[in-house]
Amino acid sequence: MALPIKSTAPSASKIAARLPGAYFHDAWAIPAALPELDALGQFLRVARSTPKWIDRMMVLRNQVVGLFGLKNLGRIAGVDPSKQSSDYVPGERVGIFTLIEKTEREVLLGDDDNHLSVIVSVHKDVDSCDGQTVITVTTVVHVKNWIGRLYMVPVAPAHRAIARTMVKAVGNAA
């Protein structure tokens, strides 16, 4: 079983242009267990099987941030089980995110609130050395105020654990 590798945003990705001025960013790469899926298909497959502990953390997050007037994003697994990646168009909600842009090789998903903007890229590429399809998931966060900076104190470490878990699932065929 492959494990996610700490990476950088792919230079040919659309997310790379969103890195300047970011308060936080990270990227994780892994060989795809199902290379035939497009970038959004990779995200949907993993989101639909989100571990319960992650969705419980999202429920807790939504309860706490609601006290401060921030958005309830729902659950990561809250994607429509009957919808295929080809059915989604920019502007639609895909679980906790809004679809910003999609191509076969990259999807940009994000959310914008009073305290920060977050964009996640799922980028699909073929490794020139071994021919494997590699998926790189990059997260970029731009904070807007002190609430955003305060929010990121507990969220950054939680994000790292969640991101590694979700990206690891991209490499699992089950």
Side-chain angles (χ1 to χ4, degrees), residues 74-94:
R75 300 175 309 113
I76 296 172
V79 296
D80 184 339
S82 66
K83 246 179 149 169
Q84 301 300 311
S85 63
S86 60
D87 298 332
Y88 284 94
V89 296
E92 281 190 89
R93 292 296 286 181
V94 184

Side-chain angles (χ1 to χ4, degrees), residues 13-16 18 39-40 90-92 94 97-103 106-110 118-123 138:
S13 69
K14 294 180 184 237
I15 194 81
R18 297 176 186 256
L40 183 54
E92 281 190 89
V94 184
F97 298 113
T98 297
L99 176 60
I100 298 168
E101 191 174 338
K102 75 171 182 170
T103 65
E106 185 175 20
V107 63
L108 296 179
L109 303 152
V118 62
I119 298 184
V120 175
S121 161
V122 179
H123 186 269
T138 305

